[in-house]
């Protein structure tokens, strides 16, 4: 390893320590390492292509919290965490119009 290996190893240790600290986590409250925010869009076809069902699903921390189902034509909360967003999205006619049109474009 020689003399070049030791400074490189120290640099990596310093970077690992700096990257392990997440901004905004003062006071010992660390953000969990498995934090996940994800969206998925799906199309389900039945009866050939005559009937298409579009699903837009929102996940937080590996759990589905809300979804848009084109069969219902509005957002629905799967968990209480998704309820505030669903109320906001369902009250906005522009968002609903865009999501309802995605069944044809997606």
């Amino acid at each position: 390893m020689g003399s070049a290996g030791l400074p490189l190893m120290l640099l990596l240790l310093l970077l690992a320590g700096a990257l392990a600290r997440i901004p905004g986590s003062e006071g010992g409250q660390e953000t969990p390492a498995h934090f996940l925010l994800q969206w998925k869009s799906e199309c389900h076809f039945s009866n050939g292509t005559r009937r298409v069902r579009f699903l837009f699903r929102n996940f937080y921390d590996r759990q589905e919290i809300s979804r848009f189902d084109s069969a219902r034509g509005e957002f629905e909360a799967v968990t209480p965490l998704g309820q505030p967003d669903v109320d906001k999205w369902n009250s906005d006619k522009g968002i609903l119009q865009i999501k309802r049109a995605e069944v044809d474009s997606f």
Side-chain angles (χ1 to χ4, degrees), residues 21-81:
R21 184 87 177 142
I22 299 169
S25 60
E26 292 78 20
Q29 300 294 329
E30 297 290 334
T31 302
H34 62 273
F35 169 79
L36 176 70
L37 184 60
Q38 188 175 30
W39 299 273
K40 292 185 179 182
S41 297
E42 305 172 6
C43 272
H44 298 268
F45 297 92
S46 59
N47 195 11
T49 57
R50 290 185 180 184
R51 183 173 169 144
V52 180
R53 181 178 178 204
F54 173 72
L55 290 174
F56 178 77
R57 301 165 59 192
N58 297 306
F59 295 88
Y60 174 77
D61 201 17
R62 299 185 208 135
Q63 182 179 11
E64 185 178 11
I65 59 171
S66 63
R67 72 172 68 118
F68 175 83
D69 188 353
S70 65
R72 287 188 65 193
E74 63 181 13
F75 289 90
E76 56 185 306
V78 178
T79 64
L81 182 62

